[in-house]
Amino acid sequence: IKAKRNHILKVAYEGLDDTVQKLLSQMAALGNAIDVDTLNVFNPFVDTENSLQLFDALLQDLEGRGLIWWDNNNFQYDLHPVVRGYAFSQLNDEDKPETFDEIYNYFEIQARGNYKAKFSSYAEMQNIIAMYNALLGAGKYDAAAELFWDRLAENLINGLGLYHKAYELLLPLFPNGFS
């Protein structure tokens, strides 16, 4: 079944032009459902007239193909986990650092405009966590560790008591385990 599923995804993915393939892979790199403002970071038509209309048509085409879907309740686009995994695996090594840098920069600007030393919920930390994950994705482990200790650790552990979330976030920094 897995081979058949991957074959179907491969055919669907390869049926897209290069720009749309890259967009789908970049969406996958975000790792979660994506609101339109965030998704606009990867708008391939940003320097053209009618940019938003062209981008909207592209997103509707991807939705029509069943590769993404619109979540009306949360006003976000999302990918099925299987599609996300396949599309991310197709992001080439040259595009990964740029993609993760764009993700980091977007969320850093969002966090800068809403800087908080203390968070009252895990949901409020999502921009910082997205920055952290982008640093990991770009292979910038020292910067990710610094961000974790500067902005996340105190809030997760002492402020919210979310030890399991702190553990989950730290795992990628220790590929050989904690010992």
Side-chain angles (χ1 to χ4, degrees):
I1 292 175
K2 184 177 178 182
K4 187 178 269 192
R5 177 188 64 207
N6 284 343
H7 174 71
I8 292 168
L9 282 171
K10 180 179 180 184
V11 169
Y13 190 85
E14 289 178 355
L16 304 170
D17 69 40
D18 291 346
T19 302
V20 182
Q21 287 178 358
K22 184 176 178 183
L23 171 66
L24 194 61
S25 294
Q26 289 170 320
M27 290 175 70
L30 280 157
N32 295 310
I34 313 149
D35 63 67
V36 177
D37 289 337
T38 303
L39 190 54
N40 202 42
V41 169
F42 300 117
N43 182 345
F45 307 111
V46 76
D47 293 327
T48 61
E49 190 175 330
N50 300 325
S51 170
L52 293 178
Q53 291 84 356
L54 292 169
F55 193 43
D56 185 55
L58 172 63
L59 294 171
Q60 288 186 22
D61 179 54
L62 288 171
E63 188 175 6
R65 293 172 187 250
L67 295 170
I68 65 173
W69 78 83
W70 176 250
D71 177 352
N72 279 323
N73 294 329
N74 297 308
F75 303 106
Q76 297 175 323
Y77 279 101
D78 207 351
L79 289 80
H80 185 280
V82 174
V83 173
R84 182 183 311 284
Y86 183 83
F88 181 73
S89 74
Q90 300 306 302
L91 190 62
N92 66 48
D93 290 337
E94 295 82 38
D95 289 334
K96 280 184 183 177
E98 177 187 349
T99 295
F100 285 111
D101 284 345
E102 287 174 356
I103 293 170
Y104 176 85
N105 290 336
Y106 173 79
F107 284 107
E108 195 273 332
I109 289 168
Q110 303 306 309
R112 189 182 326 141
N114 188 24
Y115 182 83
K116 291 176 110 177
K118 286 193 170 191
F119 296 95
S120 59
S121 73
Y122 185 72
E124 289 181 356
M125 302 173 76
Q126 291 308 299
N127 287 349
I128 307 299
I129 292 169
M131 291 167 51
Y132 174 79
N133 287 328
L135 289 169
L136 291 174
K140 298 177 180 177
Y141 300 107
D142 290 340
E146 185 177 329
L147 180 65
F148 179 85
W149 293 112
D150 288 350
R151 300 288 308 276
L152 296 171
E154 177 68 25
N155 283 290
L156 286 170
I157 297 167
N158 296 327
L160 300 172
L162 297 174
Y163 306 102
H164 63 288
K165 292 294 185 184
Y167 177 81
E168 288 173 14
L169 290 169
L170 284 171
L171 273 177
L173 294 174
F174 299 93
N176 298 320
F178 288 116
S179 56

